[in-house]
Amino acid sequence: MSRFWSPFVKSLVPYVPGEQPKLTKLVKLNTNENPYGPSPRALQAMRAELGDDLRLYPDPNSDLLKQAVARYYQVPASHVFLGNGSDEVLAHIFHGLFQHDLPLLFPDISYSFYPVYCGLYGVAHETVALDEQFQIRPQDYARPNGGIIFPNPNAPTGCLLALEAVEQILKASPDSVVVVDEAYIDFGGETAIALVQRYPNLLVTQTLSKSRSLAGLRVGLAVGHPDLIEALERVKNSFNSYPLDRLAIVGATAAFEDQAHFDTTRNAVIASREILVEQLQAKGFEVLPSAANFIFVRHPQHDAAGLAATLREQGVIVRHFKQARIAQFLRISIGTPEQNQALLDGLSGL
Ligand code: PMP
Protein backbone atom coordinates (compact mmCIF):
# COMPACT_ATOMS: atom_id res chain seq x y z
CA MET A 1 0.00 0.00 0.00
CA SER A 2 1.25 3.45 -0.78
CA ARG A 3 0.26 6.96 0.18
CA PHE A 4 0.23 7.78 -3.54
CA TRP A 5 -2.70 5.49 -4.34
CA SER A 6 -6.22 6.72 -5.05
CA PRO A 7 -8.12 5.73 -1.90
CA PHE A 8 -10.42 3.17 -3.57
CA VAL A 9 -7.45 1.17 -4.87
CA LYS A 10 -6.83 0.00 -1.30
CA SER A 11 -10.11 -1.90 -1.35
CA LEU A 12 -9.61 -3.64 -4.71
CA VAL A 13 -9.36 -7.44 -4.72
CA PRO A 14 -7.92 -8.25 -8.18
CA TYR A 15 -8.68 -11.34 -10.24
CA VAL A 16 -6.00 -14.04 -10.16
CA PRO A 17 -5.58 -15.64 -13.61
CA GLY A 18 -4.44 -19.24 -13.99
CA GLU A 19 -0.70 -19.69 -14.00
CA GLN A 20 1.20 -19.10 -17.29
CA PRO A 21 4.33 -21.07 -16.40
CA LYS A 22 7.71 -20.11 -17.80
CA LEU A 23 8.61 -23.80 -18.07
CA THR A 24 7.47 -24.86 -21.53
CA LYS A 25 7.64 -28.60 -20.86
CA LEU A 26 4.56 -28.61 -18.66
CA VAL A 27 1.32 -30.14 -19.89
CA LYS A 28 -0.84 -27.10 -19.44
CA LEU A 29 -4.46 -28.00 -18.71
CA ASN A 30 -5.19 -25.09 -16.35
CA THR A 31 -6.52 -22.12 -18.35
CA ASN A 32 -8.85 -23.60 -20.98
CA GLU A 33 -6.71 -22.65 -23.94
CA ASN A 34 -7.23 -24.52 -27.19
CA PRO A 35 -4.62 -27.32 -27.62
CA TYR A 36 -4.60 -26.79 -31.39
CA GLY A 37 -3.15 -23.75 -33.14
CA PRO A 38 -5.18 -20.93 -34.66
CA SER A 39 -6.39 -20.90 -38.24
CA PRO A 40 -3.43 -20.82 -40.69
CA ARG A 41 -5.43 -18.18 -42.56
CA ALA A 42 -5.46 -15.99 -39.44
CA LEU A 43 -1.68 -16.39 -39.08
CA GLN A 44 -1.18 -15.56 -42.75
CA ALA A 45 -3.36 -12.43 -42.49
CA MET A 46 -1.31 -11.23 -39.51
CA ARG A 47 1.98 -11.90 -41.31
CA ALA A 48 0.72 -9.87 -44.26
CA GLU A 49 -0.13 -7.01 -41.89
CA LEU A 50 3.42 -6.83 -40.54
CA GLY A 51 4.83 -3.79 -42.30
CA ASP A 52 5.23 -0.06 -42.30
CA ASP A 53 1.51 0.47 -41.74
CA LEU A 54 2.11 -0.45 -38.10
CA ARG A 55 3.22 3.16 -37.69
CA LEU A 56 -0.45 4.10 -38.18
CA TYR A 57 -3.16 3.70 -35.55
CA PRO A 58 -5.68 0.95 -36.27
CA ASP A 59 -9.30 1.62 -37.23
CA PRO A 60 -10.83 2.69 -33.88
CA ASN A 61 -14.08 0.93 -34.79
CA SER A 62 -12.49 -2.26 -36.17
CA ASP A 63 -15.11 -2.17 -38.92
CA LEU A 64 -13.54 -5.01 -40.91
CA LEU A 65 -13.95 -7.38 -37.96
CA LYS A 66 -17.35 -6.00 -36.96
CA GLN A 67 -18.62 -6.82 -40.42
CA ALA A 68 -17.11 -10.30 -40.34
CA VAL A 69 -18.81 -10.99 -36.99
CA ALA A 70 -22.10 -9.52 -38.27
CA ARG A 71 -21.95 -11.76 -41.36
CA TYR A 72 -21.09 -14.81 -39.29
CA TYR A 73 -23.99 -14.37 -36.86
CA GLN A 74 -26.35 -12.77 -39.40
CA VAL A 75 -26.97 -9.61 -37.40
CA PRO A 76 -26.50 -5.96 -38.43
CA ALA A 77 -23.02 -4.56 -37.66
CA SER A 78 -24.74 -2.03 -35.35
CA HIS A 79 -25.44 -4.99 -33.00
CA VAL A 80 -21.73 -5.84 -32.55
CA PHE A 81 -19.23 -4.53 -29.98
CA LEU A 82 -15.55 -5.53 -29.91
CA GLY A 83 -12.94 -5.44 -27.18
CA ASN A 84 -9.47 -6.48 -26.11
CA GLY A 85 -10.55 -9.93 -24.95
CA SER A 86 -14.03 -10.58 -23.61
CA ASP A 87 -12.66 -9.61 -20.19
CA GLU A 88 -12.47 -6.04 -21.43
CA VAL A 89 -15.93 -6.29 -23.00
CA LEU A 90 -17.22 -7.53 -19.63
CA ALA A 91 -15.49 -4.66 -17.82
CA HIS A 92 -17.32 -2.14 -20.02
CA ILE A 93 -20.59 -4.00 -19.43
CA PHE A 94 -20.21 -3.81 -15.64
CA HIS A 95 -19.27 -0.14 -15.94
CA GLY A 96 -21.84 0.93 -18.49
CA LEU A 97 -24.85 -1.29 -17.85
CA PHE A 98 -24.77 -2.73 -14.31
CA GLN A 99 -24.40 0.25 -11.98
CA HIS A 100 -27.92 0.37 -10.54
CA ASP A 101 -29.55 0.52 -7.10
CA LEU A 102 -30.88 -3.03 -7.31
CA PRO A 103 -28.26 -5.78 -7.10
CA LEU A 104 -26.74 -7.57 -10.07
CA LEU A 105 -27.41 -11.32 -9.87
CA PHE A 106 -24.98 -14.08 -10.81
CA PRO A 107 -24.49 -17.72 -9.75
CA ASP A 108 -22.56 -18.50 -6.53
CA ILE A 109 -20.29 -20.74 -8.59
CA SER A 110 -19.33 -18.77 -11.67
CA TYR A 111 -16.59 -16.81 -13.41
CA SER A 112 -14.55 -15.33 -10.58
CA PHE A 113 -13.93 -12.10 -12.48
CA TYR A 114 -17.56 -10.97 -11.95
CA PRO A 115 -17.16 -10.03 -8.26
CA VAL A 116 -13.85 -8.35 -9.14
CA TYR A 117 -15.56 -6.04 -11.65
CA CYS A 118 -18.27 -5.37 -9.05
CA GLY A 119 -15.51 -4.20 -6.73
CA LEU A 120 -13.83 -2.08 -9.40
CA TYR A 121 -17.01 -0.35 -10.56
CA GLY A 122 -18.99 -0.32 -7.30
CA VAL A 123 -21.73 -2.63 -8.58
CA ALA A 124 -24.13 -3.94 -5.90
CA HIS A 125 -24.53 -7.69 -6.34
CA GLU A 126 -26.02 -10.88 -4.89
CA THR A 127 -25.10 -14.42 -5.76
CA VAL A 128 -27.75 -17.04 -6.50
CA ALA A 129 -26.93 -20.61 -5.43
CA LEU A 130 -26.69 -23.32 -8.09
CA ASP A 131 -28.83 -26.37 -7.24
CA GLU A 132 -27.34 -29.58 -5.78
CA GLN A 133 -26.41 -30.78 -9.28
CA PHE A 134 -24.54 -27.48 -9.83
CA GLN A 135 -27.15 -26.30 -12.34
CA ILE A 136 -28.60 -22.80 -12.76
CA ARG A 137 -32.30 -22.71 -11.78
CA PRO A 138 -33.94 -20.05 -14.01
CA GLN A 139 -36.80 -19.40 -11.59
CA ASP A 140 -34.32 -18.25 -8.92
CA TYR A 141 -33.48 -15.22 -11.08
CA ALA A 142 -37.12 -14.05 -11.25
CA ARG A 143 -36.73 -11.42 -8.56
CA PRO A 144 -36.00 -7.69 -8.48
CA ASN A 145 -32.51 -7.10 -9.87
CA GLY A 146 -30.29 -4.49 -11.50
CA GLY A 147 -29.01 -6.97 -14.09
CA ILE A 148 -28.16 -10.64 -14.52
CA ILE A 149 -24.99 -12.31 -15.80
CA PHE A 150 -23.99 -15.94 -16.12
CA PRO A 151 -21.64 -17.92 -18.33
CA ASN A 152 -23.26 -20.48 -20.62
CA PRO A 153 -21.89 -23.11 -20.40
CA ASN A 154 -21.13 -22.08 -16.84
CA ALA A 155 -17.54 -21.82 -15.66
CA PRO A 156 -15.92 -23.60 -13.93
CA THR A 157 -18.63 -26.29 -13.97
CA GLY A 158 -19.00 -26.66 -17.77
CA CYS A 159 -22.76 -27.18 -17.36
CA LEU A 160 -25.03 -25.92 -20.13
CA LEU A 161 -28.32 -24.11 -19.69
CA ALA A 162 -30.84 -24.86 -22.47
CA LEU A 163 -31.88 -21.93 -24.66
CA GLU A 164 -35.48 -22.18 -23.38
CA ALA A 165 -34.19 -21.66 -19.84
CA VAL A 166 -32.17 -18.62 -20.98
CA GLU A 167 -35.36 -17.28 -22.52
CA GLN A 168 -37.23 -17.90 -19.26
CA ILE A 169 -34.68 -15.70 -17.45
CA LEU A 170 -35.00 -12.99 -20.12
CA LYS A 171 -38.79 -12.98 -19.95
CA ALA A 172 -38.87 -12.72 -16.16
CA SER A 173 -36.62 -9.61 -16.12
CA PRO A 174 -37.64 -7.49 -19.14
CA ASP A 175 -36.41 -4.31 -17.45
CA SER A 176 -32.90 -5.59 -16.72
CA VAL A 177 -29.93 -6.31 -18.94
CA VAL A 178 -29.27 -10.05 -19.08
CA VAL A 179 -25.73 -10.94 -20.18
CA VAL A 180 -25.00 -14.46 -21.38
CA ASP A 181 -21.22 -14.98 -21.31
CA GLU A 182 -20.69 -17.54 -24.05
CA ALA A 183 -16.91 -17.92 -23.81
CA TYR A 184 -17.28 -21.72 -24.22
CA ILE A 185 -20.52 -22.02 -26.23
CA ASP A 186 -18.88 -23.48 -29.36
CA PHE A 187 -17.92 -26.68 -27.54
CA GLY A 188 -21.45 -27.98 -27.15
CA GLY A 189 -24.15 -25.34 -26.84
CA GLU A 190 -26.39 -23.21 -29.00
CA THR A 191 -25.72 -19.48 -28.96
CA ALA A 192 -28.40 -17.11 -27.68
CA ILE A 193 -27.46 -14.59 -30.40
CA ALA A 194 -30.56 -15.66 -32.36
CA LEU A 195 -32.64 -14.18 -29.51
CA VAL A 196 -31.19 -10.64 -29.60
CA GLN A 197 -33.69 -9.45 -32.22
CA ARG A 198 -36.57 -10.42 -29.89
CA TYR A 199 -35.07 -9.38 -26.55
CA PRO A 200 -33.68 -5.83 -26.41
CA ASN A 201 -32.42 -6.61 -22.88
CA LEU A 202 -30.16 -9.48 -24.05
CA LEU A 203 -26.42 -9.08 -24.53
CA VAL A 204 -24.31 -12.09 -25.55
CA THR A 205 -20.53 -12.04 -25.11
CA GLN A 206 -18.05 -14.33 -26.84
CA THR A 207 -14.30 -14.66 -27.19
CA LEU A 208 -11.80 -15.79 -29.79
CA SER A 209 -9.60 -17.16 -27.00
CA LYS A 210 -11.16 -20.63 -26.84
CA SER A 211 -12.86 -22.14 -29.91
CA ARG A 212 -10.77 -19.97 -32.27
CA SER A 213 -7.53 -20.59 -30.40
CA LEU A 214 -6.45 -16.94 -30.24
CA ALA A 215 -6.09 -16.34 -26.49
CA GLY A 216 -2.78 -14.59 -27.18
CA LEU A 217 -4.38 -12.08 -29.54
CA ARG A 218 -6.98 -10.78 -27.04
CA VAL A 219 -10.21 -10.37 -28.97
CA GLY A 220 -13.72 -10.56 -27.53
CA LEU A 221 -17.13 -9.38 -28.64
CA ALA A 222 -20.69 -8.67 -27.59
CA VAL A 223 -23.88 -8.88 -29.66
CA GLY A 224 -27.08 -7.12 -28.65
CA HIS A 225 -29.55 -4.32 -29.31
CA PRO A 226 -27.87 -1.11 -30.60
CA ASP A 227 -29.00 0.75 -27.44
CA LEU A 228 -26.86 -1.60 -25.33
CA ILE A 229 -24.00 -1.44 -27.85
CA GLU A 230 -24.06 2.35 -27.70
CA ALA A 231 -23.55 2.31 -23.92
CA LEU A 232 -20.50 0.09 -24.43
CA GLU A 233 -19.13 2.31 -27.23
CA ARG A 234 -19.47 5.33 -24.96
CA VAL A 235 -17.51 3.63 -22.18
CA LYS A 236 -14.93 2.29 -24.64
CA ASN A 237 -14.41 5.69 -26.23
CA SER A 238 -13.93 7.19 -22.78
CA PHE A 239 -11.31 4.57 -21.95
CA ASN A 240 -9.26 3.43 -24.99
CA SER A 241 -10.11 4.39 -28.56
CA TYR A 242 -8.02 1.60 -30.09
CA PRO A 243 -8.52 -1.57 -28.05
CA LEU A 244 -7.88 -3.82 -31.07
CA ASP A 245 -4.54 -3.45 -32.79
CA ARG A 246 -3.94 -3.93 -36.52
CA LEU A 247 -2.85 -7.57 -36.15
CA ALA A 248 -5.88 -8.43 -34.02
CA ILE A 249 -8.31 -6.92 -36.50
CA VAL A 250 -7.03 -8.83 -39.54
CA GLY A 251 -6.23 -12.05 -37.63
CA ALA A 252 -9.63 -12.27 -35.97
CA THR A 253 -11.41 -11.45 -39.24
CA ALA A 254 -9.60 -14.26 -41.04
CA ALA A 255 -10.36 -16.63 -38.15
CA PHE A 256 -14.09 -16.02 -38.59
CA GLU A 257 -13.74 -16.78 -42.29
CA ASP A 258 -12.03 -20.16 -41.78
CA GLN A 259 -14.99 -22.38 -40.98
CA ALA A 260 -13.14 -25.59 -41.88
CA HIS A 261 -10.36 -25.05 -39.31
CA PHE A 262 -12.91 -24.03 -36.69
CA ASP A 263 -14.99 -27.17 -37.25
CA THR A 264 -12.03 -29.57 -37.32
CA THR A 265 -10.39 -28.30 -34.14
CA ARG A 266 -13.60 -27.87 -32.20
CA ASN A 267 -14.78 -31.38 -33.12
CA ALA A 268 -11.40 -32.80 -32.06
CA VAL A 269 -11.69 -31.13 -28.65
CA ILE A 270 -15.26 -32.39 -28.19
CA ALA A 271 -14.30 -35.95 -29.18
CA SER A 272 -11.32 -35.91 -26.77
CA ARG A 273 -13.54 -34.62 -24.00
CA GLU A 274 -15.96 -37.52 -24.36
CA ILE A 275 -13.10 -40.05 -24.24
CA LEU A 276 -11.44 -38.37 -21.25
CA VAL A 277 -14.72 -38.25 -19.31
CA GLU A 278 -15.09 -42.04 -19.67
CA GLN A 279 -11.47 -42.67 -18.72
CA LEU A 280 -11.76 -40.54 -15.59
CA GLN A 281 -15.08 -42.09 -14.63
CA ALA A 282 -13.39 -45.50 -14.90
CA LYS A 283 -10.90 -44.25 -12.28
CA GLY A 284 -13.77 -43.38 -9.93
CA PHE A 285 -14.04 -39.65 -10.70
CA GLU A 286 -17.38 -37.92 -10.68
CA VAL A 287 -17.54 -35.66 -13.75
CA LEU A 288 -20.11 -32.89 -14.17
CA PRO A 289 -21.77 -32.93 -17.63
CA SER A 290 -19.64 -30.58 -19.75
CA ALA A 291 -20.47 -28.60 -22.88
CA ALA A 292 -17.15 -26.74 -22.67
CA ASN A 293 -13.46 -27.35 -23.46
CA PHE A 294 -12.86 -28.35 -19.86
CA ILE A 295 -14.33 -30.73 -17.31
CA PHE A 296 -15.03 -30.29 -13.62
CA VAL A 297 -14.27 -33.43 -11.63
CA ARG A 298 -13.98 -34.75 -8.09
CA HIS A 299 -12.85 -38.02 -6.62
CA PRO A 300 -14.72 -39.36 -3.60
CA GLN A 301 -11.53 -40.78 -2.06
CA HIS A 302 -8.88 -38.22 -2.98
CA ASP A 303 -8.43 -34.63 -1.90
CA ALA A 304 -8.49 -32.24 -4.87
CA ALA A 305 -5.58 -30.05 -3.73
CA GLY A 306 -3.52 -33.22 -3.16
CA LEU A 307 -4.35 -34.51 -6.63
CA ALA A 308 -3.41 -31.16 -8.19
CA ALA A 309 -0.07 -31.26 -6.36
CA THR A 310 0.60 -34.86 -7.46
CA LEU A 311 -0.14 -33.94 -11.06
CA ARG A 312 2.09 -30.90 -10.89
CA GLU A 313 5.00 -32.99 -9.65
CA GLN A 314 4.57 -34.99 -12.84
CA GLY A 315 4.46 -31.93 -15.05
CA VAL A 316 0.70 -31.62 -15.54
CA ILE A 317 -1.08 -28.49 -14.33
CA VAL A 318 -4.81 -28.26 -13.73
CA ARG A 319 -6.87 -25.62 -11.91
CA HIS A 320 -8.00 -25.92 -8.30
CA PHE A 321 -10.26 -23.29 -6.70
CA LYS A 322 -10.28 -22.87 -2.92
CA GLN A 323 -13.90 -21.65 -2.78
CA ALA A 324 -15.81 -23.71 -0.17
CA ARG A 325 -18.46 -25.38 -2.33
CA ILE A 326 -16.03 -26.49 -5.02
CA ALA A 327 -12.84 -27.04 -3.03
CA GLN A 328 -12.93 -30.77 -3.78
CA PHE A 329 -13.14 -30.26 -7.54
CA LEU A 330 -10.47 -29.89 -10.20
CA ARG A 331 -11.04 -28.09 -13.48
CA ILE A 332 -9.20 -29.81 -16.28
CA SER A 333 -8.87 -28.25 -19.75
CA ILE A 334 -9.18 -30.68 -22.65
CA GLY A 335 -5.80 -31.15 -24.33
CA THR A 336 -4.57 -33.09 -27.33
CA PRO A 337 -4.91 -36.89 -27.00
CA GLU A 338 -1.22 -36.95 -25.93
CA GLN A 339 -1.74 -34.31 -23.25
CA ASN A 340 -4.85 -36.08 -21.96
CA GLN A 341 -2.81 -39.29 -21.77
CA ALA A 342 -0.17 -37.46 -19.72
CA LEU A 343 -2.93 -36.46 -17.32
CA LEU A 344 -4.10 -40.08 -17.02
CA ASP A 345 -0.51 -41.24 -16.53
CA GLY A 346 -0.16 -38.66 -13.76
CA LEU A 347 -3.17 -40.25 -12.07
CA SER A 348 -1.99 -43.82 -12.53
CA GLY A 349 -1.50 -44.20 -8.78
CA LEU A 350 -5.28 -44.04 -8.16
N1 PMP B 1 -15.71 -15.49 -19.55
C1 PMP B 1 -15.41 -16.66 -19.00
C2 PMP B 1 -16.49 -17.47 -18.38
C3 PMP B 1 -14.08 -17.11 -19.00
O1 PMP B 1 -13.76 -18.28 -18.43
C4 PMP B 1 -13.08 -16.33 -19.60
C5 PMP B 1 -11.64 -16.81 -19.66
N2 PMP B 1 -10.92 -16.62 -18.48
C6 PMP B 1 -13.45 -15.09 -20.14
C7 PMP B 1 -14.77 -14.71 -20.12
C8 PMP B 1 -12.45 -14.13 -20.71
O2 PMP B 1 -11.80 -14.58 -21.82
P1 PMP B 1 -10.98 -13.59 -22.76
O3 PMP B 1 -10.72 -12.31 -22.01
O4 PMP B 1 -9.76 -14.33 -23.10
O5 PMP B 1 -11.88 -13.35 -23.94
Side-chain angles (χ1 to χ4, degrees):
M1 233 176 270
S2 158
R3 66 196 165 93
F4 299 113
W5 293 7
S6 302
F8 93 104
V9 173
K10 291 180 194 154
S11 65
L12 290 182
V13 184
Y15 175 72
V16 183
E19 182 189 356
Q20 293 295 348
K22 299 286 182 280
L23 286 171
T24 47
K25 276 214 180 114
L26 289 175
V27 174
K28 194 173 174 305
L29 303 178
N30 68 330
T31 48
N32 301 339
E33 286 137 333
N34 196 314
Y36 303 106
S39 153
R41 283 171 61 179
L43 299 178
Q44 183 49 39
M46 289 189 274
R47 276 188 210 105
E49 186 67 19
L50 284 175
D52 283 348
D53 277 357
L54 282 178
R55 73 193 171 80
L56 300 171
Y57 284 108
D59 171 8
N61 296 316
S62 309
D63 278 334
L64 186 76
L65 178 56
K66 252 186 208 170
Q67 278 153 16
V69 172
R71 266 197 307 279
Y72 190 85
Y73 288 113
Q74 303 192 321
V75 294
S78 59
H79 286 53
V80 180
F81 179 78
L82 299 169
N84 188 247
S86 57
D87 277 342
E88 187 185 77
V89 175
L90 290 168
H92 294 338
I93 290 170
F94 277 71
H95 205 177
L97 296 167
F98 283 162
Q99 283 182 333
H100 300 294
D101 292 336
L102 285 169
L104 173 71
L105 305 180
F106 52 83
D108 62 339
I109 309 299
S110 190
Y111 185 28
S112 48
F113 222 135
Y114 300 158
V116 174
Y117 288 135
C118 288
L120 179 60
Y121 295 117
V123 172
H125 63 283
E126 280 172 18
T127 57
V128 180
L130 298 177
D131 71 13
E132 285 75 56
Q133 277 74 49
F134 293 92
Q135 305 293 324
I136 289 174
R137 260 189 313 236
Q139 61 271 31
D140 293 350
Y141 291 79
R143 64 188 215 208
N145 66 76
I148 296 171
I149 185 166
F150 55 90
N152 196 34
N154 196 8
T157 62
C159 299
L160 184 73
L161 192 63
L163 223 42
E164 302 81 67
V166 173
E167 212 169 341
Q168 200 184 328
I169 293 175
L170 282 161
K171 279 189 181 145
S173 293
D175 298 322
S176 305
V177 175
V178 176
V179 176
V180 185
D181 174 349
E182 293 188 342
Y184 303 101
I185 195 71
D186 292 327
F187 297 104
E190 199 184 340
T191 176
I193 288 178
L195 300 177
V196 298
Q197 307 282 6
R198 266 188 290 144
Y199 294 94
N201 60 327
L202 169 62
L203 195 60
V204 178
T205 62
Q206 291 201 0
T207 176
L208 278 79
S209 300
K210 314 294 177 179
S211 56
R212 292 180 205 275
S213 196
L214 286 167
L217 201 62
R218 313 302 302 129
V219 183
L221 59 100
V223 179
H225 190 280
D227 284 351
L228 302 181
I229 301 301
E230 190 189 334
L232 301 180
E233 295 287 358
R234 282 182 179 219
V235 175
K236 171 237 166 201
N237 288 320
S238 308
F239 178 79
N240 178 4
S241 321
Y242 309 105
L244 269 69
D245 62 54
R246 284 176 169 270
L247 301 182
I249 293 170
V250 296
T253 300
F256 267 106
E257 288 165 354
D258 193 347
Q259 188 66 27
H261 182 83
F262 171 77
D263 285 336
T264 311
T265 49
R266 155 177 93 140
N267 290 339
V269 170
I270 294 170
S272 295
R273 179 184 70 211
E274 299 314 307
I275 294 168
L276 186 60
V277 166
E278 280 185 19
Q279 289 168 321
L280 289 174
Q281 282 169 338
K283 284 187 173 292
F285 279 95
E286 183 192 329
V287 186
L288 295 190
S290 170
N293 67 339
F294 58 85
I295 50 177
F296 207 46
V297 308
R298 71 178 153 194
H299 198 291
Q301 278 99 43
H302 297 278
D303 175 64
L307 285 177
T310 306
L311 283 168
R312 206 195 154 92
E313 279 163 23
Q314 297 173 78
V316 179
I317 48 176
V318 299
R319 189 95 194 249
H320 175 246
F321 298 91
K322 294 203 176 79
Q323 200 183 337
R325 224 184 141 186
I326 54 170
Q328 282 311 320
F329 279 87
L330 294 176
R331 192 195 67 190
I332 305 171
S333 308
I334 306 301
T336 59
E338 295 72 32
Q339 291 176 313
N340 299 339
Q341 189 55 49
L343 170 88
L344 292 165
D345 293 346
L347 295 168
S348 58
L350 299 197

Coordinates of all heavy atoms in Angstrom, one line a residue, residues 15 85-87 90 111 151 155 181 183-184 207 209-210 218-219, ligand 1:
Y15 N -8.5 -10.0 -9.7 CA -8.7 -11.3 -10.2 C -7.3 -12.0 -10.3 O -6.3 -11.3 -10.6 CB -9.3 -11.2 -11.6 CG -9.4 -12.6 -12.4 CD1 -10.4 -13.5 -12.0 CD2 -8.6 -12.8 -13.5 CE1 -10.5 -14.7 -12.7 CE2 -8.7 -14.0 -14.2 CZ -9.7 -15.0 -13.8 OH -9.8 -16.1 -14.5
G85 N -10.2 -8.8 -25.8 CA -10.6 -9.9 -25.0 C -12.0 -9.7 -24.4 O -12.4 -8.6 -24.3
S86 N -12.7 -10.8 -24.1 CA -14.0 -10.6 -23.6 C -13.9 -10.1 -22.2 O -14.9 -9.5 -21.7 CB -14.9 -11.8 -23.7 OG -14.4 -12.9 -23.1
D87 N -12.8 -10.2 -21.5 CA -12.7 -9.6 -20.2 C -12.9 -8.1 -20.3 O -13.5 -7.5 -19.4 CB -11.3 -9.9 -19.6 CG -11.2 -11.3 -18.9 OD1 -12.3 -11.8 -18.6 OD2 -10.1 -11.8 -18.7
L90 N -16.5 -7.4 -20.9 CA -17.2 -7.5 -19.6 C -17.0 -6.3 -18.7 O -17.9 -5.8 -18.1 CB -16.8 -8.8 -18.9 CG -17.2 -10.1 -19.6 CD1 -16.5 -11.3 -19.0 CD2 -18.7 -10.3 -19.5
Y111 N -17.9 -17.4 -13.0 CA -16.6 -16.8 -13.4 C -16.1 -15.8 -12.3 O -16.8 -14.9 -12.0 CB -16.8 -16.1 -14.7 CG -15.5 -15.6 -15.3 CD1 -14.2 -16.1 -15.1 CD2 -15.5 -14.5 -16.2 CE1 -13.1 -15.6 -15.7 CE2 -14.4 -14.0 -16.8 CZ -13.2 -14.5 -16.5 OH -12.0 -14.1 -17.1
P151 N -22.3 -17.3 -17.2 CA -21.6 -17.9 -18.3 C -22.5 -19.1 -18.8 O -23.1 -19.8 -18.0 CB -20.3 -18.5 -17.8 CG -20.1 -17.8 -16.4 CD -21.5 -17.6 -15.9
A155 N -18.9 -21.6 -16.0 CA -17.5 -21.8 -15.7 C -17.4 -21.6 -14.1 O -18.0 -20.7 -13.6 CB -16.6 -20.8 -16.4
D181 N -22.7 -14.9 -21.0 CA -21.2 -15.0 -21.3 C -20.9 -16.3 -22.0 O -20.8 -17.4 -21.3 CB -20.5 -14.8 -20.0 CG -19.0 -14.9 -20.1 OD1 -18.5 -15.4 -21.1 OD2 -18.3 -14.6 -19.1
A183 N -18.3 -17.7 -23.5 CA -16.9 -17.9 -23.8 C -16.7 -19.3 -24.4 O -15.8 -19.6 -25.2 CB -16.1 -17.7 -22.6
Y184 N -17.5 -20.3 -23.9 CA -17.3 -21.7 -24.2 C -18.4 -22.3 -25.1 O -18.5 -23.5 -25.2 CB -17.1 -22.5 -22.9 CG -16.0 -22.0 -22.1 CD1 -16.3 -21.2 -20.9 CD2 -14.7 -22.3 -22.4 CE1 -15.2 -20.7 -20.2 CE2 -13.6 -21.7 -21.6 CZ -13.9 -21.0 -20.5 OH -12.9 -20.4 -19.8
T207 N -15.8 -14.9 -27.1 CA -14.3 -14.7 -27.2 C -13.7 -15.5 -28.3 O -14.2 -16.5 -28.7 CB -13.6 -15.0 -25.9 OG1 -12.2 -14.9 -26.0 CG2 -13.9 -16.5 -25.5
S209 N -10.7 -16.5 -27.8 CA -9.6 -17.2 -27.0 C -9.7 -18.7 -26.9 O -8.8 -19.4 -26.6 CB -9.6 -16.6 -25.6 OG -9.4 -15.2 -25.5
K210 N -10.9 -19.2 -27.1 CA -11.2 -20.6 -26.8 C -11.4 -21.4 -28.2 O -10.4 -22.0 -28.6 CB -12.4 -20.8 -25.9 CG -12.4 -19.8 -24.7 CD -11.2 -20.1 -23.7 CE -11.3 -19.1 -22.6 NZ -10.2 -19.3 -21.6
R218 N -6.1 -11.6 -27.9 CA -7.0 -10.8 -27.0 C -8.1 -10.1 -27.9 O -8.0 -8.9 -28.2 CB -6.2 -9.7 -26.2 CG -5.0 -10.2 -25.5 CD -5.3 -11.3 -24.5 NE -6.3 -10.9 -23.5 CZ -7.4 -11.6 -23.2 NH1 -7.6 -12.8 -23.9 NH2 -8.2 -11.2 -22.3
V219 N -9.0 -10.9 -28.3 CA -10.2 -10.4 -29.0 C -11.5 -11.0 -28.4 O -11.6 -12.2 -28.3 CB -10.2 -10.7 -30.5 CG1 -11.4 -10.0 -31.2 CG2 -8.9 -10.2 -31.1
Ligands
PMP1 N1 -15.7 -15.5 -19.6 C1 -15.4 -16.7 -19.0 C2 -16.5 -17.5 -18.4 C3 -14.1 -17.1 -19.0 O1 -13.8 -18.3 -18.4 C4 -13.1 -16.3 -19.6 C5 -11.6 -16.8 -19.7 N2 -10.9 -16.6 -18.5 C6 -13.5 -15.1 -20.1 C7 -14.8 -14.7 -20.1 C8 -12.4 -14.1 -20.7 O2 -11.8 -14.6 -21.8 P1 -11.0 -13.6 -22.8 O3 -10.7 -12.3 -22.0 O4 -9.8 -14.3 -23.1 O5 -11.9 -13.3 -23.9

